[in-house]
Structures are given as C-alpha cells and as structure tokens.
C-alpha cells in the first residue's frame, strides 16, 4: 500500500502521460521530493519506501516512447524561400 488512493494515483499517471508526452521527459527524469532533497523530504516514498516507482516510470516510459515515435514520424516542414 503506497498510502495514496487509487484516484490520486490515477491522476498522477494521467498527468505523467500528458507531461512526458508533451515535453519529451524520459522516465529516468521522473523523480520525487525524496530524490531531490534526501534526508529532508521523504515524499512520495514514505517511511517504508512503499511508493511504486516502477509503475510510475512505466507510465512515463510509454508516454515518452509514443511521443518520440510521433516526433520521428512527423513530416519535416521546410519554410518557403
């Protein structure tokens, strides 16, 4: 149990899909406060490290890869002289 409700996690995954897809954020760049300020912040990991980072990064990875595929397939537009 992560300590977060299903609705909270669904909102997180929805937001990750949007942000990672729009801004091409790779999954390894998705971090929490605990990673930025270790020792000072524990969220979202909690005291027992129960947050599911693998699921979170999997969601980010799917969105990132899909966006990268779309970018690679997009036609190149050359401005008129």
């Amino acid at each position: 149990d992560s300590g977060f409700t299903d609705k909270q996690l669904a909102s997180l995954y929805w937001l990750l899909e949007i942000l990672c897809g729009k801004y091409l954020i790779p999954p390894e760049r998705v971090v929490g406060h605990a990673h930025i300020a270790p020792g000072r912040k524990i969220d979202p990991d909690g005291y027992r490290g129960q947050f599911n980072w693998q699921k979170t990064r999997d969601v980010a990875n799917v969105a990132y890869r899909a966006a990268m595929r779309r970018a690679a397939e997009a036609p190149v537009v050359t401005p008129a002289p």
Side-chain angles (χ1 to χ4, degrees), residues 17-68:
E17 287 176 11
I18 292 170
L19 295 176
C20 291
K22 181 174 182 175
Y23 297 107
L24 300 177
I25 301 169
E28 62 271 12
R29 298 298 303 258
V30 176
V31 297
H33 292 121
H35 303 111
I36 302 300
R40 194 168 62 86
K41 299 280 190 173
I42 62 166
D43 55 324
D45 287 344
Y47 288 104
R48 297 183 313 274
Q50 68 269 30
F51 187 76
N52 189 344
W53 279 107
Q54 186 59 54
K55 166 76 174 174
T56 302
R57 290 199 177 103
D58 287 348
V59 169
N61 190 41
V62 168
Y64 174 73
R65 287 177 174 264
M68 292 298 286

